[in-house]
Amino acid sequence: MAARVAYGLGLDFGTNSVRALLADVRDGREVATAVADYPSGQAGVILDKKDPAVARQHPGDYAVALTKCVKAALRQAAKLRGFKPERIVGIGVDTTASTPLPIDAHCQPLALRAPFRTNPQACAWLWKDHSSYAEAQEITELAQLERPEYVARCGGTYSSEWFWSKALHCLRVAPRVFRAAASWVELCDYIPALLTGCTDVAKLRRSICAAGHKAMFHRSYGLPAADFLMRLHPELARLRGRLYEEAYTADQVAGGLSSAWARKLGLVAGTPVAVGAIDAHLGAVGAGIKPGTLVKILGTSSCDMLVTPTSTKLADIPGVCGIVAGSILPGHYGIEAGQPAVGDLFNWWVGNFDGRPDAHERLTAAAQRLQPGESGLLALDWNNGNRSVLVDVRLTGLLVGQTLHTTPAEVYRTLLEATAFGARVIMARLEEFGARVRDVVTCGGIAEKNALLMQIYADVTGRPIKISRSAQTCALGAAICGTVAGGTKRGGHGSMAAAQKAMCGLKRTVYKPRRAAARVYDELFTCYGQLHDAFGGSGRGTAVDNVMKDLIGLRTRARRGT
Amino acid sequence: MAARVAYGLGLDFGTNSVRALLADVRDGREVATAVADYPSGQAGVILDKKDPAVARQHPGDYAVALTKCVKAALRQAAKLRGFKPERIVGIGVDTTASTPLPIDAHCQPLALRAPFRTNPQACAWLWKDHSSYAEAQEITELAQLERPEYVARCGGTYSSEWFWSKALHCLRVAPRVFRAAASWVELCDYIPALLTGCTDVAKLRRSICAAGHKAMFHRSYGLPAADFLMRLHPELARLRGRLYEEAYTADQVAGGLSSAWARKLGLVAGTPVAVGAIDAHLGAVGAGIKPGTLVKILGTSSCDMLVTPTSTKLADIPGVCGIVAGSILPGHYGIEAGQPAVGDLFNWWVGNFDGRPDAHERLTAAAQRLQPGESGLLALDWNNGNRSVLVDVRLTGLLVGQTLHTTPAEVYRTLLEATAFGARVIMARLEEFGARVRDVVTCGGIAEKNALLMQIYADVTGRPIKISRSAQTCALGAAICGTVAGGTKRGGHGSMAAAQKAMCGLKRTVYKPRRAAARVYDELFTCYGQLHDAFGGSGRGTAVDNVMKDLIGLRTRARRGT
């Protein structure tokens, strides 16, 4: 453990705001934190009235919000005994992804210079921009036909949210912007470049996390081959030559903080800035991810992160969003899976199907009183499609087992359980392909607030559910990267493992599987699996004629208490 | 047409009250009507706090309520020009069924005499009494094994609501009551016996409608054989000998009104009283049933009635509740099918999943604005099980297609549609076995009030939906039977067909299938059929993996207006 008082600075670039977090290298204590909103658009997002798929960010916003929140955090830290900016051993950065932006040869975003100042196509294409839907389909089809290995490690489908879809769509709808770009960078590459004063696009260090998960980059062959990109568009193939051939893990140094930025922020020039990474991935780091521990980042949706050592070969895992060596921890495969509706699913029900103002409290209280199986209901959690393991947005919700006595609270609990069954399907798939899941650490607002959900997750998955001590695991993960990039000589850590050991922690509450509940949920999960396969298409013609009767049987037993 | 001013009197014994209705023999005009509640129990039903399956009626209530409502109706009629009780050509009776009660040798209900006065087991066992659940199963199993013909015409399953289940259960739980009974009668047999002063159980005329639909009576072999009943219980076999060997259609005369009852009611002694029948069956008569016209009696549930001439052989129709020659019209097979939740299903949703006081109006208005297919939703209407054609109470509801934007109004419309698809399944089954359905006449409160539902039924079934002119088709049907029992000499009608022609009518509004909507519903019905077969067990392993995608396809087209 580092003996000197020292801090890591984490910068977390979200959809609507930036968070700065100062964490003590010795124990991870979060000594100062501040948030600043992006000034442009609606809550930081530039929309297009004509096309609801469009979502952009103005690159100028990043510098503005970053300055504001770092200075605010430093003002808080100034009150600490013995704090000095020199004690910041390194800076880490995480951002949303894929959020690519076109830049010039000097790493300047095109949207910051004439003639593109007011052009949204020259802005950053925010992760949730879906305007390149057709391009994603085109890329998926071509890859599946000619280079299945490109999409094998991202579940077989290339998304409209990702790098190449967006670049290709820009090329089609705004060729002038596309051609003016010396290169494109992910936001998590742009911020370190900005802070380190990088003015040569060739020297800009790219994140393996974004490259691997979003741009089909692979250590063995680099970016997709030029002849493959040529089939999509000759200019896309030419862009490849202006991108990168190497990418780096987030414990490595992107460069030292520039004098200009040091002055602007009140920090010390030369402070090491780590290579950036995607928010969910550093969130997993901040939650203490290690082999065998699945980190579930629970919000509107769920990101499920797992690592396995690269020393052991890992097969492609069908239906998992991405497997990239080094994307979470160096020396480990970073595996990402997820469920597209968790908090969103509960809010949909609570907000629409009860109607009374205290719906959430009442539904939760009533749902809590129910025993597993007692409602006789079962649901599929696909209201927003299925990411893992079916990778199919064209799936929808399903509810079965309702009688004339079924209540909104019973349905509410059933939806909680449905997301737990969905989580269990993911864990089963990971284990089936050799990635062990021993326990689960959850983080995000839902994890802290919804004890009923956490207990259901424990009972359904048969694994202890722990809660991350930090409520800001992404920013903490970034701060951890900063301490490793800073290194032991500056008072930081020598490795991610050492930094996590010192700086990550759990809340005291652990939700343990209860045997009786787990037994009922095992039976319900069998029915869930039948519905999953029958409707999801992975088991065409799966018989489901037992489902209603099995649910009635479980209901009868639950009500009798047997 | 009858030239003289004359009236039929219909008496309709419901679950909570009796209705008396005076109808003009010439045109069916309902000149007087009155309702009287049963005085005992909760809304006329005697319950058991320890067993929610129990539902009885006190036989003394029938005479009390009957007297009250007939006198009230006559007071109304007294204001008519030229009305005299002599002008009542006959009295018809319909009741709930199977509502059997134990009687002594003088046709006196046991519950009206010592020592059984306060004994609910000696009361009438109301149709919805389900306490004989185990006995129903026992009878079904024995019949399927040894005498499948007994249940072949009632869908293969003998119900806990029916005669033999109840008699056997009484024998087991109250053997003293059972042994004290000289015989058991259905309520629809008891009322005519009461009114005609029948005091010899051997002369009591039984309804073919109740006997055939509820007691496995068949013209060719009578009641179930003694050796069959012996296998259930020796005393049940002995009861057979104290029941009946013949049963009659409701156009026939049970007897003349007794002097005592004539005095009590203010009617004329000797007025012909028709043989009784089940309420739904005479409801079909009152709605103008004839070959090719399906009558749907829409309330909390739906009864679907059809007739075909007995001159043409009719096969057993699998999954149809009952086929009995003469149960609706003489010379015709009476066919009964049904859906166990219609109004109940809508009320369940409206009452629980919106929460605001004007839920019904708002949901209906919003549902009305939706196009077929627009919600992307599809439901199975099985919240209360499935009567026809699956005959399975252990089935439950299902909803599929929901997204994070699905609204309560969309679900509400989907439930309306689900009952229409269920109705179409029944019609398809009837036609498959040779019973043609050309058009549909609906009656009941829902039929008159819910125009949206009626239009959906037309669009889904592809048949014109008409509405019965009378709001009291059961009582009108009973009055019609009264006019036929009275006969032409007394100023009544010579046949049911003649009486119906004169006395039944339709409202002007006819809901016609709309081609564009029907096209969409045909596609939705294909998906409904898949879910029906897959979950109902009639098509084990039916593939359903297309369902969610087909619904999304329909939704997309509906929203585009293509």
Side-chain angles (χ1 to χ4, degrees):
Chain A
M1 194 206 273
R4 233 183 346 149
V5 180
Y7 304 94
L9 173 60
L11 301 177
D12 167 36
F13 289 77
T15 301
N16 315 111
S17 59
V18 187
R19 174 180 296 274
L21 178 107
L22 269 174
D24 193 314
V25 297
R26 297 169 304 176
D27 54 10
R29 204 160 46 91
E30 298 171 8
V31 298
T33 184
V35 175
D37 293 336
Y38 301 127
S40 304
Q42 290 196 8
V45 182
I46 296 163
L47 305 172
D48 181 343
K49 274 184 197 160
K50 285 182 220 141
D51 183 358
V54 166
R56 307 283 154 85
Q57 282 181 328
H58 196 274
D61 285 8
Y62 302 127
V64 173
L66 146 70
T67 307
K68 207 164 158 186
C69 70
V70 169
K71 287 172 93 167
L74 288 177
R75 276 194 301 274
Q76 286 172 34
K79 297 171 195 158
L80 295 172
R81 210 166 68 170
F83 174 82
K84 286 187 286 187
E86 290 78 1
R87 293 278 163 87
I88 296 175
V89 299
I91 302 168
V93 174
D94 73 84
T95 72
T96 64
S98 175
T99 302
L101 56 159
I103 56 171
D104 67 16
H106 306 294
C107 305
Q108 172 94 329
L110 293 191
L112 297 184
R113 35 163 272 204
F116 301 112
R117 267 187 219 286
T118 57
N119 192 336
Q121 319 286 17
C123 286
W125 293 50
L126 189 60
W127 65 278
K128 65 178 176 179
D129 188 304
H130 279 92
S131 50
S132 49
Y133 180 76
E135 285 79 9
Q137 223 168 355
E138 211 178 320
I139 295 169
T140 299
E141 278 160 24
L142 185 66
Q144 279 174 344
L145 203 69
E146 306 209 340
R147 304 294 288 253
E149 71 272 23
Y150 289 169
V151 285
R153 301 221 126 191
C154 62
T157 305
Y158 195 78
S159 166
S160 61
E161 290 186 6
W162 296 349
F163 182 83
W164 292 108
S165 305
K166 284 169 170 166
L168 181 54
H169 189 65
C170 178
L171 169 53
R172 290 208 173 120
V173 298
R176 281 184 51 244
V177 170
F178 185 87
R179 282 168 201 150
S183 188
W184 284 68
V185 280
E186 282 285 349
L187 177 55
C188 65
D189 299 332
Y190 169 67
I191 301 295
L194 176 73
L195 290 175
T196 57
C198 175
T199 52
D200 180 356
V201 70
K203 292 189 180 152
L204 196 153
R205 287 198 145 189
R206 312 282 185 145
S207 152
I208 182 69
C209 183
H213 284 290
K214 309 302 180 188
M216 297 190 277
F217 180 91
H218 194 275
R219 281 265 151 78
S220 64
Y221 51 70
L223 287 167
D227 65 336
F228 174 82
L229 297 173
M230 180 75 80
R231 299 282 303 273
L232 295 165
H233 200 293
E235 291 194 46
L236 208 61
R238 285 200 286 277
L239 172 64
R240 184 187 192 279
R242 310 198 303 271
L243 291 172
Y244 50 92
E245 279 164 8
E246 193 46 83
Y248 302 87
T249 55
D251 58 332
Q252 294 185 271
V253 179
L257 187 67
S258 72
S259 311
W261 271 100
R263 264 196 311 278
K264 197 185 282 194
L265 299 176
L267 295 175
V268 177
T271 304
V273 177
V275 169
I278 303 175
D279 44 12
H281 295 68
L282 293 198
V285 169
I289 197 168
K290 60 180 188 285
T293 297
L294 181 103
V295 171
K296 263 188 103 64
I297 303 172
L298 286 168
T300 54
S301 61
S302 163
C303 274
D304 296 11
M305 320 294 287
L306 193 66
V307 292
T308 64
T310 47
S311 52
T312 310
K313 203 177 144 50
L314 183 67
D316 296 338
I317 307 179
V320 160
C321 310
I323 303 175
V324 174
S327 70
I328 299 175
L329 294 179
H332 293 78
Y333 290 111
I335 308 171
E336 186 192 342
Q339 295 168 268
V342 178
D344 273 352
L345 184 65
F346 311 150
N347 289 337
W348 164 71
W349 186 257
V350 172
N352 292 288
F353 295 88
D354 185 277
R356 282 167 288 182
D358 57 340
H360 190 267
E361 290 68 29
R362 269 185 318 94
L363 290 177
T364 301
Q368 209 132 21
R369 286 192 295 271
L370 293 166
Q371 292 305 307
E374 186 179 342
S375 68
L377 297 174
L378 180 62
L380 288 174
D381 51 320
W382 300 347
N383 287 44
N384 197 22
N386 178 294
R387 195 176 299 153
S388 311
V389 296
L390 297 170
V391 200
D392 192 344
V393 294
R394 288 168 72 81
L395 292 173
T396 53
L398 183 143
L399 179 70
V400 63
Q402 47 274 43
T403 69
L404 295 173
H405 306 289
T406 297
T407 65
E410 289 177 323
V411 178
Y412 176 61
R413 185 180 172 113
T414 303
L415 296 176
L416 300 183
E417 292 168 347
T419 65
F421 293 133
R424 180 164 163 179
V425 168
I426 292 172
M427 294 179 199
R429 177 61 59 92
L430 292 170
E431 294 217 318
E432 189 186 342
F433 285 82
R436 196 60 215 285
V437 180
R438 273 186 209 91
D439 57 3
V440 178
V441 173
T442 59
C443 50
I446 294 182
E448 294 185 19
K449 284 183 226 151
N450 200 326
L452 173 60
L453 184 70
M454 293 302 102
Q455 186 58 56
I456 289 171
Y457 277 23
D459 294 340
V460 166
T461 66
R463 292 170 173 93
I465 305 288
K466 302 166 184 174
I467 317 287
S468 161
R469 187 180 61 199
S470 171
Q472 308 299 338
T473 51
C474 298
L476 178 61
I480 285 171
C481 291
T483 70
V484 183
T488 49
K489 280 188 192 157
R490 290 180 54 89
H493 291 286
S495 70
M496 291 283 267
Q500 282 186 297
K501 199 178 169 202
M503 297 175 71
C504 297
L506 299 170
K507 288 191 190 289
R508 265 200 209 148
T509 310
V510 175
Y511 298 90
K512 286 180 194 146
R514 300 168 306 170
R515 196 177 298 177
R519 240 188 339 245
V520 175
Y521 282 135
D522 280 348
E523 294 190 53
L524 278 170
F525 185 65
T526 303
C527 290
Y528 179 91
Q530 288 178 268
L531 296 177
H532 179 282
D533 294 350
F535 284 90
S538 56
R540 199 180 147 76
T542 301
V544 291
D545 56 317
N546 61 302
V547 168
M548 291 178 179
K549 292 178 172 63
D550 286 359
L551 292 173
I552 291 173
L554 282 165
R555 183 181 77 193
T556 309
R557 279 156 48 199
R559 291 184 181 179
R560 278 193 198 135
T562 58
Chain B
M1 195 207 270
R4 236 187 339 153
V5 181
Y7 304 95
L9 174 59
L11 301 176
D12 167 38
F13 289 76
T15 301
N16 315 110
S17 59
V18 188
R19 173 180 296 274
L21 179 106
L22 270 173
D24 193 312
V25 296
R26 298 170 302 178
D27 55 11
R29 203 159 47 91
E30 299 171 8
V31 299
T33 184
V35 175
D37 293 337
Y38 301 126
S40 304
Q42 289 195 10
V45 182
I46 297 163
L47 305 172
D48 181 344
K49 274 184 196 159
K50 287 182 217 141
D51 184 358
V54 167
R56 306 283 154 84
Q57 280 180 331
H58 196 277
D61 284 9
Y62 302 129
V64 173
L66 147 69
T67 307
K68 208 165 156 185
C69 71
V70 169
K71 287 170 93 168
L74 289 176
R75 276 196 301 276
Q76 287 173 31
K79 296 173 195 157
L80 295 172
R81 211 164 69 168
F83 174 81
K84 285 185 287 184
E86 290 78 2
R87 294 279 162 87
I88 296 175
V89 298
I91 302 168
V93 174
D94 73 84
T95 73
T96 63
S98 173
T99 302
L101 57 158
I103 56 171
D104 67 16
H106 306 294
C107 305
Q108 172 94 328
L110 294 191
L112 297 183
R113 36 163 271 203
F116 302 110
R117 268 189 218 285
T118 56
N119 191 336
Q121 319 285 17
C123 286
W125 293 50
L126 189 59
W127 66 277
K128 65 178 177 180
D129 189 305
H130 279 92
S131 50
S132 49
Y133 180 74
E135 286 79 8
Q137 222 168 353
E138 212 177 319
I139 295 169
T140 298
E141 279 161 22
L142 185 66
Q144 280 174 345
L145 202 67
E146 305 208 344
R147 304 295 287 254
E149 69 273 23
Y150 288 170
V151 285
R153 302 220 124 191
C154 63
T157 306
Y158 195 77
S159 166
S160 61
E161 290 185 6
W162 297 349
F163 182 84
W164 292 108
S165 305
K166 284 169 170 166
L168 182 54
H169 189 65
C170 178
L171 170 54
R172 292 209 171 118
V173 299
R176 281 183 52 242
V177 170
F178 185 87
R179 283 168 202 151
S183 189
W184 283 68
V185 280
E186 282 285 350
L187 179 54
C188 65
D189 299 333
Y190 170 67
I191 300 295
L194 177 73
L195 290 175
T196 58
C198 176
T199 53
D200 180 356
V201 69
K203 293 190 180 148
L204 197 154
R205 287 200 147 187
R206 312 282 185 144
S207 151
I208 183 68
C209 183
H213 284 290
K214 308 301 180 188
M216 297 190 276
F217 180 90
H218 194 273
R219 281 265 153 80
S220 64
Y221 51 70
L223 287 166
D227 64 337
F228 174 83
L229 296 171
M230 180 74 80
R231 299 282 302 275
L232 294 165
H233 200 295
E235 292 195 48
L236 208 60
R238 284 200 286 278
L239 173 63
R240 184 186 192 278
R242 310 198 302 271
L243 291 172
Y244 49 92
E245 281 166 7
E246 194 45 85
Y248 301 87
T249 54
D251 59 333
Q252 294 186 270
V253 179
L257 187 67
S258 73
S259 311
W261 272 101
R263 265 197 310 278
K264 198 184 282 194
L265 298 175
L267 295 175
V268 177
T271 304
V273 177
V275 169
I278 303 174
D279 45 12
H281 296 68
L282 293 198
V285 169
I289 196 167
K290 60 180 189 283
T293 297
L294 181 103
V295 172
K296 264 187 102 65
I297 303 173
L298 287 168
T300 54
S301 62
S302 163
C303 276
D304 296 9
M305 320 295 287
L306 193 65
V307 291
T308 64
T310 47
S311 52
T312 310
K313 203 176 144 51
L314 183 67
D316 297 339
I317 306 178
V320 160
C321 310
I323 303 174
V324 175
S327 70
I328 300 174
L329 294 179
H332 293 78
Y333 290 112
I335 308 172
E336 186 193 342
Q339 295 169 268
V342 178
D344 273 353
L345 184 65
F346 311 149
N347 288 336
W348 163 71
W349 186 256
V350 172
N352 293 286
F353 296 87
D354 184 278
R356 282 166 287 182
D358 57 341
H360 189 268
E361 290 68 29
R362 268 186 316 96
L363 290 178
T364 301
Q368 209 132 21
R369 285 192 294 272
L370 292 166
Q371 291 306 307
E374 185 178 343
S375 69
L377 297 173
L378 181 61
L380 288 174
D381 50 320
W382 300 348
N383 287 44
N384 197 22
N386 178 294
R387 196 176 297 154
S388 312
V389 300
L390 298 170
V391 201
D392 192 343
V393 295
R394 289 168 70 81
L395 293 173
T396 52
L398 183 143
L399 179 70
V400 62
Q402 47 274 44
T403 68
L404 295 173
H405 306 289
T406 297
T407 65
E410 288 176 326
V411 177
Y412 176 62
R413 183 179 175 115
T414 303
L415 296 176
L416 301 183
E417 292 168 346
T419 66
F421 293 133
R424 179 164 165 180
V425 168
I426 292 172
M427 294 178 199
R429 177 62 58 94
L430 292 169
E431 295 217 319
E432 188 186 342
F433 285 81
R436 196 59 215 285
V437 179
R438 273 186 209 91
D439 57 4
V440 178
V441 173
T442 59
C443 49
I446 294 181
E448 294 185 19
K449 283 182 226 150
N450 200 327
L452 172 61
L453 185 70
M454 293 302 103
Q455 186 59 56
I456 289 172
Y457 277 23
D459 294 339
V460 166
T461 66
R463 292 169 174 93
I465 306 287
K466 302 166 185 173
I467 317 287
S468 160
R469 187 180 60 199
S470 171
Q472 308 298 340
T473 51
C474 298
L476 178 61
I480 285 171
C481 291
T483 69
V484 183
T488 47
K489 280 190 192 155
R490 290 180 55 87
H493 291 287
S495 69
M496 292 283 267
Q500 282 185 296
K501 197 175 169 206
M503 297 174 72
C504 299
L506 299 169
K507 287 191 190 290
R508 263 198 211 151
T509 310
V510 175
Y511 297 90
K512 287 180 193 143
R514 299 169 305 171
R515 194 177 299 177
R519 239 188 340 246
V520 176
Y521 282 134
D522 280 348
E523 293 189 53
L524 279 169
F525 185 66
T526 303
C527 289
Y528 179 92
Q530 288 178 269
L531 296 177
H532 179 281
D533 295 349
F535 283 90
S538 56
R540 199 180 147 75
T542 302
V544 291
D545 55 317
N546 61 301
V547 169
M548 290 177 180
K549 292 178 172 63
D550 286 359
L551 292 174
I552 292 173
L554 282 165
R555 184 181 76 193
T556 308
R557 279 157 45 199
R559 291 184 181 179
R560 278 194 199 135
T562 56

